[in-house]
Amino acid sequence: ANQTSTRHIMMRPEHFRLFTSALFCHLALLLLPNAVRSFGVRTPNCIQLQQQQRHTHHIHHLLAADNDDDETDTSTSKQPATTGDALRAATGIRPSLHPVTINALAEALKLRAQNREDWPLRPRANVEPLQIALSAGRIATEAIQKRQAASDEDGMKLQAKEEQTVAGRVVGVVMRLDDLEATLVTRCEAAPWIAKYGEWATFGLMGNAEVEASLSDVEDRIRDDPLFRLSRAECLLALFLATVEQPSLERSDESVPGGSTVDFLDADRKEVLLGL
């Protein structure tokens, strides 16, 4: 690899463990054959996955062992917090992971629309899938760092497994962006009221498949319209949770902090995207 491509995939040492955990979580989904066939996801060429029969729980055991030293004594978590939300501290209810995930995905969409060489996020002839995964990992770790910094005084810092879940979702969505966007368009086209009342932007779309095919126009809208970008990120995450993460976890009898429930969409968008 030349110096330019090497520079593109460099990562700060302090980010590497979190990214590795996220990539393991993402690969856990890829190792499930049904998920691979359903969504046409291909394993990055530069990562030789020869043991597709390995079960997802093996990866979770690796992640748990890797973070043993980072886990705090669970007994301390039962003590009332001196800062932050007293009700959450008393009940043990953890904050939702969806807001930080959605914000990270919105940032990923913005960076992809900018077509920056130092943030490879779209498959191209000279861009390896691993470079895209690394870019997604960088976006996730930066979003998590901001979230942790903002939580220094409220007692609601993310735990290690919560960080891994957020990072794994960001990497998982970014690696499937093209497929998820195609699914988003298809499901919105199947709801006539969206076109009739011009509600495409509610779903982060500019229009039907023909309109969305105008890549330059779509990228301009994503770059310039934060609300549009956020709506698109929400819908893509919802599709990922419902069609990739949740079925995969059910098949492997695993779980993630907070679960995979889509509780951040209004009723209309849930009906269109998830049939609920």
Side-chain angles (χ1 to χ4, degrees):
N2 57 33
Q3 291 183 344
T4 301
S5 61
T6 302
R7 184 173 63 252
H8 288 172
I9 63 173
M10 289 181 64
M11 180 177 292
R12 296 178 182 176
E14 62 268 25
H15 293 175
F16 185 72
R17 175 181 293 188
L18 181 56
F19 168 72
T20 303
S21 298
L23 192 56
F24 270 131
C25 291
H26 172 61
L27 294 179
L29 298 177
L30 294 182
L31 289 174
L32 295 168
N34 291 337
V36 175
R37 285 196 296 269
S38 299
F39 295 92
V41 179
R42 294 182 298 173
T43 304
N45 294 333
C46 51
I47 302 178
Q48 301 301 320
L49 299 178
Q50 300 297 332
Q51 300 178 351
Q52 292 193 356
Q53 74 277 12
R54 190 186 330 179
H55 297 295
T56 306
H57 67 269
H58 291 170
I59 291 175
H60 283 268
H61 290 328
L62 288 174
L63 296 182
D66 186 52
N67 285 279
D68 279 344
D69 294 338
D70 296 332
E71 295 289 345
T72 58
D73 184 358
T74 55
S75 63
T76 61
S77 64
K78 299 178 182 179
Q79 302 300 320
T82 56
T83 60
D85 191 326
L87 178 60
R88 284 190 184 276
T91 61
I93 298 175
R94 299 292 301 162
S96 173
L97 303 181
H98 296 321
V100 63
T101 307
I102 291 167
N103 288 336
L105 291 174
E107 181 66 14
L109 290 172
K110 180 180 179 180
L111 289 169
R112 187 179 66 152
Q114 292 173 344
N115 292 305
R116 289 173 51 177
E117 291 186 3
D118 56 334
W119 285 95
L121 287 163
R122 193 183 295 280
R124 301 182 189 278
N126 62 339
V127 175
E128 291 288 342
L130 181 58
Q131 290 177 277
I132 298 176
L134 287 170
S135 292
R138 289 169 58 192
I139 293 169
T141 54
E142 289 181 7
I144 290 169
Q145 284 185 328
K146 290 179 181 178
R147 167 66 170 75
Q148 298 293 61
S151 300
D152 282 340
E153 300 300 328
D154 67 5
M156 287 289 113
K157 292 176 74 70
L158 296 179
Q159 299 171 352
K161 290 184 178 180
E162 292 173 329
E163 290 182 337
Q164 293 166 13
T165 300
V166 171
R169 285 171 176 170
V170 173
V171 173
V173 172
V174 170
M175 295 298 289
R176 294 173 171 82
L177 273 177
D178 290 343
D179 291 337
L180 290 172
E181 287 173 327
T183 301
L184 176 59
V185 172
T186 298
R187 297 195 179 186
C188 288
E189 286 180 329
W193 65 267
I194 296 176
K196 180 178 180 179
Y197 297 106
E199 291 292 330
W200 295 103
T202 304
F203 297 83
L205 296 175
M206 291 187 64
N208 58 22
E210 183 178 357
V211 175
E212 282 285 313
S214 178
L215 187 58
S216 60
D217 291 339
V218 174
E219 288 182 338
D220 287 344
R221 181 74 180 272
I222 290 174
R223 285 195 304 267
D224 300 336
D225 189 337
L227 182 58
F228 178 87
R229 186 166 64 240
L230 194 65
S231 297
R232 195 180 186 99
E234 289 175 336
C235 292
L236 294 175
L237 177 60
L239 288 173
F240 174 81
L241 294 176
T243 63
V244 179
E245 182 179 282
Q246 192 170 34
S248 299
L249 292 174
E250 289 175 355
R251 284 192 292 268
S252 60
D253 195 27
E254 297 285 347
S255 63
V256 292
S260 302
T261 303
V262 177
D263 56 6
F264 50 87
L265 295 181
D266 56 75
D268 287 339
R269 290 195 293 175
K270 269 190 177 181
E271 182 180 0
V272 171
L273 299 181
L274 311 179
L276 300 177

